[in-house]
Amino acid sequence: MKKLVLMLSTLVALTACTKKQAPAPEPEPATPGSLVLYYSQAGSTEKVAQLIAAKTGADIEKFDVATAYDGDFNATIARCQEEMKNGTVPELAPLTKDVAKYDTIYLGYPIWFGTYAPPVAALLKGVDLKGKVIVPFCTFGSGGIEASVANLKAALPESTILDGYGVRAARVDKAEAEVGCFLVCSGIVPGEKVSLPDFSESKPVSKADIAIFNAACGDYQMPLGIPVLVGSRALGDATEYVFTVKNKGQKDKEASTKIYVTAPNDKNVKPEFTKVVR
Ligand SMILES: Cc1cc2nc3c(=O)[nH]c(=O)nc-3n(C[C@H](O)[C@H](O)[C@H](O)COP(=O)(O)O)c2cc1C
């Protein structure tokens, strides 16, 4: 009898041990699915986010930081400057969606201080985006997509970051058509890819070029500089120009930027600048 009790208790102990050592269940693999994850303070990025979700069928979630930035422009600037001075990143407010379940993230943000707004820094700190395909999109006053995408690539070396889509807030009404082209050209949605011609070689600006530049940039709230060189290419119903512009950079040092302008063939339609690349 004693022997039987001993055998049984050994068996129970072994089973318990086996149970303890059983491998933890594998985490569920990310199913092929996409999520539009965006921050927007004043609503422009939100418009683009909704277009992307509608055109791709992706789920959508707006994220924020735990203590939201004040809607007031000056208060937001002051808080950002304080955070930059102290090197702090705000805390992310909890998300409702489980980001781990998605393999593609359309990441949307406004450009603040030349790059992605700090809530994105909070997201990168609080959420694991390793191994995912990131499709950045942004809105801006004048530009910043290139720098923000470069900064995303540096911050997420183990993710695949596409080049992304950006639009000035002032022309967000053009985003619907542009987002459609962007999604097709990036191979995300099916459709006929349009390949654009190269810009012509840059040459000194003529009076006519300066008139186009002024018509496109003249009413921007800040001086954008003096155009000195220009290249162009035909886009079918419009001509796109890339102006090399001399202006004052940081600490009044002479700087050079590129300003992209689209001038419709219909002379009754005003040319507009689409982005500044600093
Ligand atoms: C604090 C702050 C900083 C900004 N910095 C820039 C900037 O460096 N470059 C730029 O082109 N636009 C800048 N903007 C303009 C925003 O990028 C632009 O208004 C954007 O469309 C806002 O997006 P939202 O409406 O989704 O919030 C800034 C706006 C704010 C509030």
Side-chain angles (χ1 to χ4, degrees):
M1 182 67 182
K2 252 187 179 176
K3 241 184 180 178
L4 185 69
V5 171
L6 197 68
M7 269 170 66
L8 274 176
S9 55
T10 313
L11 197 66
V12 169
L14 270 174
T15 319
C17 190
T18 318
K19 265 195 185 150
K20 252 191 214 156
Q21 284 175 355
E26 285 284 315
E28 264 185 51
T31 48
S34 25
L35 175 67
V36 177
L37 194 53
Y38 71 98
Y39 172 74
S40 180
Q41 189 186 47
S44 294
T45 311
E46 182 153 67
K47 285 187 187 156
V48 181
Q50 286 164 348
L51 285 171
I52 293 178
K55 287 179 190 290
T56 60
D59 290 345
I60 183 164
E61 172 152 9
K62 182 177 186 173
F63 66 93
D64 208 334
V65 289
T67 306
Y69 286 87
D70 194 308
D72 175 73
F73 181 76
N74 290 326
T76 303
I77 296 273
R79 176 172 159 189
C80 285
Q81 282 172 332
E82 187 65 17
E83 287 169 348
M84 287 191 284
K85 196 176 88 188
N86 300 332
T88 51
V89 172
E91 183 129 345
L92 185 70
L95 301 175
T96 59
K97 299 264 193 295
D98 178 5
V99 175
K101 283 192 180 158
Y102 299 89
D103 61 1
T104 300
I105 307 291
Y106 297 93
L107 179 58
Y109 48 85
I111 297 291
W112 286 7
F113 293 92
T115 188
Y116 50 73
V120 174
L123 181 87
L124 302 186
K125 199 171 129 192
V127 174
D128 185 7
L129 296 174
K130 219 180 284 164
K132 299 192 188 294
V133 174
I134 310 290
V135 187
F137 64 95
C138 60
T139 66
F140 40 78
S142 59
I145 181 167
E146 293 79 7
S148 70
V149 171
N151 291 339
L152 279 177
K153 285 182 178 169
L156 297 172
E158 293 179 68
S159 309
T160 304
I161 319 273
L162 303 197
D163 279 346
Y165 169 74
V167 63
R168 289 183 58 221
R171 41 185 313 280
V172 74
D173 56 323
K174 309 280 168 40
E176 174 142 31
E178 291 181 359
V179 163
C181 288
F182 166 72
L183 293 171
V184 170
C185 286
S186 308
I188 295 168
V189 301
E192 199 187 326
K193 291 186 190 178
V194 184
S195 61
L196 299 176
D198 290 336
F199 281 99
S200 64
E201 222 170 280
S202 282
K203 60 173 178 48
V205 286
S206 67
K207 272 191 181 161
D209 297 326
I210 294 174
I212 289 168
F213 180 85
N214 288 340
C217 307
D219 55 5
Y220 188 64
Q221 61 266 41
M222 282 191 284
L224 290 169
I226 313 284
V228 286
L229 298 173
V230 67
S232 65
R233 63 181 176 187
L235 296 183
D237 57 355
T239 301
E240 187 179 19
Y241 296 87
V242 56
F243 287 95
T244 304
V245 173
K246 294 276 172 231
N247 46 27
K248 295 270 180 240
Q250 279 183 346
K251 295 186 181 153
D252 266 4
K253 269 195 178 160
E254 180 131 304
S256 165
T257 55
K258 301 269 186 226
I259 298 189
Y260 289 75
V261 167
T262 302
N265 297 343
D266 180 350
K267 297 293 168 235
N268 296 315
V269 184
K270 197 172 154 311
E272 52 187 11
F273 90 84
T274 52
K275 65 175 179 178
V276 176
V277 181
R278 295 185 171 84

